[in-house]
Amino acid sequence: MKAYYYDNLPGDQRLPHDSGREVDVDALLALGVYYYNLPELQSVNELAEKRGYRNRDEIKVSPKTMGDVYEEKVKMFFLEHLHEDEEIRYIRDGRGYFDVRSKDDEWVRVQLDKDDLLILPAGIYHRFTTDENNFVHAMRLFKDEPKWTALNRNPELDENTHRQEYVKEFLA
Ligand code: KMT
Ligand code: NI
């Protein structure tokens, strides 16, 4: 794992876009974002159990597994959005970037590699992309039924109760 401010320069979303300004684990925690490196699947199972997660699936995001829709999917994952539930992602292989909004509404890029697990709190604005290798194998964990409704950012969404609770707890 490595986290840094996104450089906001033009260029493919899959490039590193590393501004050189590092962000540490404590700063992520202050946003409600938890990071773990868990080489043993058993530790993931325990974490899931502890937080009441009952479902999971695995997704391979790559042109090989998705064919023609790959480029479309990758663009969709990169639209700024939030979920009304906490989101847990565990990287089994490859690499992915999760961008999360900082307190000042800047993008912080979190680079995740094999065995990295990230917990994003409900209501945080974020987006996802593969890197230049165009391959990530990730486990998605769900509390109940698989529910990945993504609400794309717009001014009205700022009034959403889950968003407001997030703002009150972490950004106020
Ligand atoms: C999300 O919420 O953006 C995703 O789940 C991205 C795909 S999982 C690596
Ligand atoms: Ni998401």
Side-chain angles (χ1 to χ4, degrees):
M1 195 280 280
K2 175 178 165 185
Y4 50 82
Y5 284 99
Y6 189 83
D7 64 11
N8 291 311
L9 295 174
D12 195 283
Q13 67 192 49
R14 289 166 283 203
L15 295 168
H17 288 280
D18 189 349
S19 65
R21 284 188 294 148
E22 265 188 53
V23 173
D24 62 23
V25 173
D26 287 340
L28 292 180
L29 270 179
L31 296 171
V33 174
Y34 288 77
Y35 161 75
Y36 301 97
N37 182 264
L38 301 176
E40 301 294 335
L41 186 58
Q42 182 55 27
S43 318
V44 177
N45 295 340
E46 284 165 16
L47 184 143
E49 172 93 10
K50 215 181 285 173
R51 300 180 87 89
Y53 280 67
R54 303 174 179 286
N55 287 294
R56 60 181 64 175
D57 71 3
E58 297 205 14
I59 180 176
K60 285 180 180 166
V61 184
S62 71
K64 200 173 148 196
T65 51
M66 292 181 159
D68 289 345
V69 299
Y70 171 73
E71 289 293 329
E72 206 178 295
K73 282 273 186 201
V74 156
K75 282 197 188 85
M76 213 182 66
F77 287 143
F78 204 61
L79 295 175
E80 181 170 5
H81 65 275
L82 63 74
H83 306 280
E84 296 189 335
D85 290 312
E86 185 180 274
E87 167 171 340
I88 301 187
R89 298 293 180 265
Y90 177 53
I91 307 301
R92 309 304 310 273
D93 202 4
R95 173 174 290 172
Y97 296 124
F98 275 92
D99 294 344
V100 299
R101 286 292 188 183
S102 72
K103 288 193 196 286
D104 305 320
D105 218 26
E106 289 191 79
W107 282 121
V108 171
R109 175 154 283 195
V110 184
Q111 174 191 309
L112 296 183
D113 294 286
K114 185 177 179 326
D115 300 334
D116 287 341
L117 182 147
L118 199 68
I119 306 180
L120 297 182
I124 191 172
Y125 283 125
H126 65 280
R127 63 187 183 186
F128 173 82
T129 185
T130 45
D131 79 341
E132 294 156 275
N133 293 311
N134 293 295
F135 175 71
V136 71
H137 174 186
M139 182 188 286
R140 306 186 286 192
L141 297 100
F142 307 96
K143 281 206 166 123
D144 300 302
E145 292 312 303
K147 194 171 97 184
W148 43 69
T149 309
L151 303 174
N152 289 337
R153 188 167 185 172
N154 70 77
E156 290 89 79
L157 190 54
D158 289 343
E159 311 307 319
N160 175 291
T161 50
H162 295 86
R163 175 61 188 169
Q164 299 232 308
E165 276 171 32
Y166 175 77
V167 170
K168 199 167 74 184
E169 187 168 351
F170 297 103
L171 305 183

